[in-house]
Amino acid sequence: MAGTTHTVTNQPPPLTGYDVYAADRALKEAVERHIHPDLLDEVHGELGALGRACGSAQVQEWGLQANENPPRLRTHDRHGHRVDEVEFHPAWHRVLGKGVSAAGPAPADTYGERRPSCCGRRSTPATAARCR
């Protein structure tokens, strides 16, 4: 392992060990605006847990590895047969798995009695079905 030659003072320290959800005021305001008030405490708790996980050194290292190893499209195998496969670095699976596992099953009624419609207006569940 190489020894250090000098102290670097013109770079910020690594940004790890923090809650990325709590640090994002705009995201928190959007959640409060769009999630039914009865579910806000639960949603804030779940997003806070995900935010702390995403701010960890391990998940950030996976993110760096995923960025350095973009997905590769394989159109043919070694025999010339068409396969159309995308190869992902294991870090991609770890990062995506962390997000998907944190999401869990969606609540049956995230918006309460009123849901946004495809027309941009708020609507009831009965009228929202027409826009699908």
Side-chain angles (χ1 to χ4, degrees), residues 5 22-24 36 42 70 74 95-96 99-100 104 132:
T5 58
D24 192 336
H36 192 273
E42 179 183 355
R74 281 191 43 216
V95 169
L96 291 173
V100 169
R132 292 186 185 140

PDB file of all heavy atoms in Angstrom, residues 5 22-24 36 42 70 74 95-96 99-100 104 132:
ATOM      1  N   THR A   5       2.039  11.181   0.790  1.00  0.00           N
ATOM      2  CA  THR A   5       3.151  12.092   0.517  1.00  0.00           C
ATOM      3  C   THR A   5       2.911  13.481   1.072  1.00  0.00           C
ATOM      4  O   THR A   5       3.861  14.199   1.331  1.00  0.00           O
ATOM      5  CB  THR A   5       3.375  12.214  -1.010  1.00  0.00           C
ATOM      6  OG1 THR A   5       2.174  12.675  -1.609  1.00  0.00           O
ATOM      7  CG2 THR A   5       3.770  10.872  -1.593  1.00  0.00           C
ATOM      8  N   ALA A  22     -33.162  13.955   4.540  1.00  0.00           N
ATOM      9  CA  ALA A  22     -33.304  15.093   5.453  1.00  0.00           C
ATOM     10  C   ALA A  22     -32.593  16.330   4.912  1.00  0.00           C
ATOM     11  O   ALA A  22     -33.009  17.456   5.197  1.00  0.00           O
ATOM     12  CB  ALA A  22     -32.753  14.737   6.831  1.00  0.00           C
ATOM     13  N   ALA A  23     -31.548  16.141   4.120  1.00  0.00           N
ATOM     14  CA  ALA A  23     -30.787  17.261   3.576  1.00  0.00           C
ATOM     15  C   ALA A  23     -31.463  17.901   2.359  1.00  0.00           C
ATOM     16  O   ALA A  23     -31.067  18.980   1.933  1.00  0.00           O
ATOM     17  CB  ALA A  23     -29.383  16.792   3.191  1.00  0.00           C
ATOM     18  N   ASP A  24     -32.481  17.242   1.800  1.00  0.00           N
ATOM     19  CA  ASP A  24     -33.142  17.727   0.586  1.00  0.00           C
ATOM     20  C   ASP A  24     -34.473  18.384   0.947  1.00  0.00           C
ATOM     21  O   ASP A  24     -35.518  17.733   0.992  1.00  0.00           O
ATOM     22  CB  ASP A  24     -33.356  16.566  -0.381  1.00  0.00           C
ATOM     23  CG  ASP A  24     -33.766  17.015  -1.767  1.00  0.00           C
ATOM     24  OD1 ASP A  24     -34.323  18.121  -1.908  1.00  0.00           O
ATOM     25  OD2 ASP A  24     -33.514  16.247  -2.711  1.00  0.00           O
ATOM     26  N   HIS A  36     -50.785  11.852   1.590  1.00  0.00           N
ATOM     27  CA  HIS A  36     -51.916  12.061   2.498  1.00  0.00           C
ATOM     28  C   HIS A  36     -51.391  12.298   3.916  1.00  0.00           C
ATOM     29  O   HIS A  36     -50.476  11.607   4.370  1.00  0.00           O
ATOM     30  CB  HIS A  36     -52.837  10.840   2.463  1.00  0.00           C
ATOM     31  CG  HIS A  36     -54.146  11.067   3.114  1.00  0.00           C
ATOM     32  ND1 HIS A  36     -54.337  10.887   4.456  1.00  0.00           N
ATOM     33  CD2 HIS A  36     -55.338  11.490   2.609  1.00  0.00           C
ATOM     34  CE1 HIS A  36     -55.589  11.178   4.758  1.00  0.00           C
ATOM     35  NE2 HIS A  36     -56.213  11.538   3.650  1.00  0.00           N
ATOM     36  N   GLU A  42     -45.215   7.915   8.631  1.00  0.00           N
ATOM     37  CA  GLU A  42     -44.682   6.644   8.138  1.00  0.00           C
ATOM     38  C   GLU A  42     -43.769   6.862   6.933  1.00  0.00           C
ATOM     39  O   GLU A  42     -42.675   6.301   6.852  1.00  0.00           O
ATOM     40  CB  GLU A  42     -45.835   5.712   7.763  1.00  0.00           C
ATOM     41  CG  GLU A  42     -45.388   4.375   7.216  1.00  0.00           C
ATOM     42  CD  GLU A  42     -46.560   3.502   6.789  1.00  0.00           C
ATOM     43  OE1 GLU A  42     -47.730   3.883   6.998  1.00  0.00           O
ATOM     44  OE2 GLU A  42     -46.282   2.427   6.226  1.00  0.00           O
ATOM     45  N   PRO A  70     -20.347   1.254 -16.692  1.00  0.00           N
ATOM     46  CA  PRO A  70     -21.702   1.375 -17.253  1.00  0.00           C
ATOM     47  C   PRO A  70     -22.187   0.041 -17.824  1.00  0.00           C
ATOM     48  O   PRO A  70     -21.374  -0.846 -18.148  1.00  0.00           O
ATOM     49  CB  PRO A  70     -21.530   2.415 -18.364  1.00  0.00           C
ATOM     50  CG  PRO A  70     -20.092   2.386 -18.710  1.00  0.00           C
ATOM     51  CD  PRO A  70     -19.358   2.001 -17.455  1.00  0.00           C
ATOM     52  N   ARG A  74     -24.740  -6.618 -25.053  1.00  0.00           N
ATOM     53  CA  ARG A  74     -24.193  -7.731 -25.845  1.00  0.00           C
ATOM     54  C   ARG A  74     -25.274  -8.138 -26.831  1.00  0.00           C
ATOM     55  O   ARG A  74     -26.326  -8.614 -26.447  1.00  0.00           O
ATOM     56  CB  ARG A  74     -23.858  -8.923 -24.951  1.00  0.00           C
ATOM     57  CG  ARG A  74     -22.577  -8.788 -24.205  1.00  0.00           C
ATOM     58  CD  ARG A  74     -22.162 -10.086 -23.543  1.00  0.00           C
ATOM     59  NE  ARG A  74     -22.375 -11.212 -24.444  1.00  0.00           N
ATOM     60  CZ  ARG A  74     -22.772 -12.422 -24.049  1.00  0.00           C
ATOM     61  NH1 ARG A  74     -22.999 -12.666 -22.797  1.00  0.00           N
ATOM     62  NH2 ARG A  74     -22.941 -13.400 -24.922  1.00  0.00           N
ATOM     63  N   VAL A  95     -27.023  -1.311  -5.742  1.00  0.00           N
ATOM     64  CA  VAL A  95     -27.665  -0.004  -5.594  1.00  0.00           C
ATOM     65  C   VAL A  95     -29.166  -0.108  -5.889  1.00  0.00           C
ATOM     66  O   VAL A  95     -29.997   0.391  -5.119  1.00  0.00           O
ATOM     67  CB  VAL A  95     -27.003   1.048  -6.513  1.00  0.00           C
ATOM     68  CG1 VAL A  95     -27.819   2.321  -6.574  1.00  0.00           C
ATOM     69  CG2 VAL A  95     -25.592   1.347  -6.036  1.00  0.00           C
ATOM     70  N   LEU A  96     -29.523  -0.741  -6.988  1.00  0.00           N
ATOM     71  CA  LEU A  96     -30.937  -0.871  -7.339  1.00  0.00           C
ATOM     72  C   LEU A  96     -31.672  -1.739  -6.322  1.00  0.00           C
ATOM     73  O   LEU A  96     -32.809  -1.447  -5.959  1.00  0.00           O
ATOM     74  CB  LEU A  96     -31.083  -1.447  -8.748  1.00  0.00           C
ATOM     75  CG  LEU A  96     -30.627  -0.518  -9.861  1.00  0.00           C
ATOM     76  CD1 LEU A  96     -30.648  -1.232 -11.210  1.00  0.00           C
ATOM     77  CD2 LEU A  96     -31.482   0.720  -9.914  1.00  0.00           C
ATOM     78  N   GLY A  99     -32.586   0.319  -3.264  1.00  0.00           N
ATOM     79  CA  GLY A  99     -33.738   1.184  -3.482  1.00  0.00           C
ATOM     80  C   GLY A  99     -35.038   0.414  -3.565  1.00  0.00           C
ATOM     81  O   GLY A  99     -36.043   0.804  -2.969  1.00  0.00           O
ATOM     82  N   VAL A 100     -35.041  -0.697  -4.267  1.00  0.00           N
ATOM     83  CA  VAL A 100     -36.263  -1.480  -4.429  1.00  0.00           C
ATOM     84  C   VAL A 100     -36.673  -2.108  -3.100  1.00  0.00           C
ATOM     85  O   VAL A 100     -37.852  -2.096  -2.736  1.00  0.00           O
ATOM     86  CB  VAL A 100     -36.081  -2.561  -5.520  1.00  0.00           C
ATOM     87  CG1 VAL A 100     -37.226  -3.544  -5.519  1.00  0.00           C
ATOM     88  CG2 VAL A 100     -35.930  -1.909  -6.885  1.00  0.00           C
ATOM     89  N   GLY A 104     -40.517  -1.366  -0.709  1.00  0.00           N
ATOM     90  CA  GLY A 104     -41.537  -2.272  -0.186  1.00  0.00           C
ATOM     91  C   GLY A 104     -42.814  -2.158  -0.994  1.00  0.00           C
ATOM     92  O   GLY A 104     -42.867  -1.506  -2.024  1.00  0.00           O
ATOM     93  N   ARG A 132     -57.119   6.415 -17.335  1.00  0.00           N
ATOM     94  CA  ARG A 132     -56.154   5.314 -17.509  1.00  0.00           C
ATOM     95  C   ARG A 132     -56.187   4.751 -18.878  1.00  0.00           C
ATOM     96  O   ARG A 132     -57.043   4.713 -19.614  1.00  0.00           O
ATOM     97  CB  ARG A 132     -56.395   4.227 -16.478  1.00  0.00           C
ATOM     98  CG  ARG A 132     -56.047   4.709 -15.107  1.00  0.00           C
ATOM     99  CD  ARG A 132     -56.149   3.599 -14.109  1.00  0.00           C
ATOM    100  NE  ARG A 132     -55.922   4.161 -12.802  1.00  0.00           N
ATOM    101  CZ  ARG A 132     -56.580   3.842 -11.722  1.00  0.00           C
ATOM    102  NH1 ARG A 132     -57.503   2.922 -11.781  1.00  0.00           N
ATOM    103  NH2 ARG A 132     -56.310   4.401 -10.591  1.00  0.00           N
TER     104      ARG A 132
END
